[in-house]
Amino acid sequence: MDFSNKTILVTGAARGIGRAVAQAFAQRGGTVAVHYRTSGAEAQTLTRALPGQAHAAFRADVSDPAACEKLINEVVGRYGRLDVLVNNAGIYEVKPVKDLSYAAWQATWKNTLDANLVGPANLCFLAAKAMMQQKSGHIINISSRGAFRGEPDAPAYGAAKAGLNQLSQSLAWALAQYNIFVGVVAPGFVRTDMAAELLDGPQGEAIRAQSPLKRAATPEEIAEAVVRLAADGMLYATGCILDVNGASYLRS
Ligand code: NAP
């Protein structure tokens, strides 16, 4: 897996899974556009630490359609191409129905869909336009086990990730004729800020026991799956959803 001369945009790359994905591509020769929203200092530190010279950090709120357009234009403007888009940025809001007013219910749906589904859809669209020009590209979307297993305390999150799965599969079909390949990685629990409260809380042991490996994934394990799915040897896997959940939820 050699990503030399390839430009990879990783959203939410300043921390968590995104940071590990950025590192994995850079270690294999890729030039990484390190996207961040609020974690500017972390993004700059990572950009300097990655092996290779041409990496750069880019700020955008993916919930904002105009910011998505600016981001893709900046990346393509700087590097002249975009070979891989990894839609990793996302939010997870614990919002059980029993605790919410109707207004709060609507707010969490809007926030979650904007960040986890509409934003990635906009970036897929904009990246696909650039990739169509160069007649090649990969898009990898980070979904979640929750799309299949359900998210009783975060139903908007589960719905957004299920939508992301279907968006990815439709795009895999639509874009193959342009030599653009679309895949999904669907993690179970991963040890990042997003999952820290649950993993470190009273439910932590029960969560780890969901997997026969008795632990959550590391961000590096998710990154390994992303890089493999973006490799040219995996073109025929376009449209696939790769579960990386430690056998904590099996579907067939
Ligand atoms: P994390 O540590 O909480 O990091 C979230 C990242 O998303 C941050 O880099 C953040 O950027 C970015 N982000 C959030 N909202 C954004 C917005 N509106 N615009 C731009 N960037 C935004 O989360 P993580 O665990 O690494 O999760 C990464 C992906 O994996 C997410 O899509 C998540 O749903 C998925 N996932 C995670 C788990 C898990 O257990 N951790 C399980 C399944 C799936 P800033 O810090 O710069 O604001």
Side-chain angles (χ1 to χ4, degrees), residues 5 21 32 48 50 66 82 95-96 126 128 146 150 161 199 207 210 215-216 229 242:
N5 303 318
V21 170
V32 183
R48 285 192 295 273
L50 290 175
L82 175 57
K95 300 281 181 183
L126 294 159
K161 293 297 191 181
L199 289 172
I207 290 171
Q210 290 171 2
R215 63 174 179 83
L229 214 44
L242 179 54

Side-chain angles (χ1 to χ4, degrees), residues 168-215:
S168 307
Q169 293 188 319
S170 296
L171 290 181
W173 200 325
L175 299 177
Q177 62 190 303
Y178 305 104
N179 209 28
I180 301 168
F181 302 91
V182 185
V184 177
V185 173
F189 272 95
V190 188
R191 179 148 281 289
T192 67
D193 295 344
M194 183 178 281
E197 203 177 317
L198 287 169
L199 289 172
D200 295 337
Q203 308 164 56
E205 197 158 332
I207 290 171
R208 283 183 284 281
Q210 290 171 2
S211 164
L213 302 180
K214 306 284 186 220
R215 63 174 179 83

Side-chain angles (χ1 to χ4, degrees), residues 30-50:
T31 297
V32 183
V34 174
H35 159 267
Y36 68 97
R37 177 193 48 167
T38 54
S39 301
E42 292 87 341
Q44 297 296 348
T45 304
L46 175 69
T47 302
R48 285 192 295 273
L50 290 175

Side-chain angles (χ1 to χ4, degrees), residues 10-20 35-40 42-43 58-64 68 71 87-92 111 114-116 120 123 141-146 151 157 161 164 185-196 198-199 216-217 219 222 244:
V10 183
T11 68
R15 55 199 179 90
I17 294 170
R19 180 170 54 194
H35 159 267
Y36 68 97
R37 177 193 48 167
T38 54
S39 301
E42 292 87 341
F58 299 83
R59 202 192 77 76
D61 181 343
V62 302
S63 303
D64 175 353
C68 289
L71 172 64
N87 267 312
N88 164 77
I91 57 169
Y92 177 77
N111 292 345
D114 282 353
N116 291 7
L123 290 171
N141 293 325
I142 308 299
S143 177
S144 172
R145 181 188 74 165
E151 289 283 350
Y157 179 86
K161 293 297 191 181
L164 187 63
V185 173
F189 272 95
V190 188
R191 179 148 281 289
T192 67
D193 295 344
M194 183 178 281
L198 287 169
L199 289 172
I222 309 305
V244 188

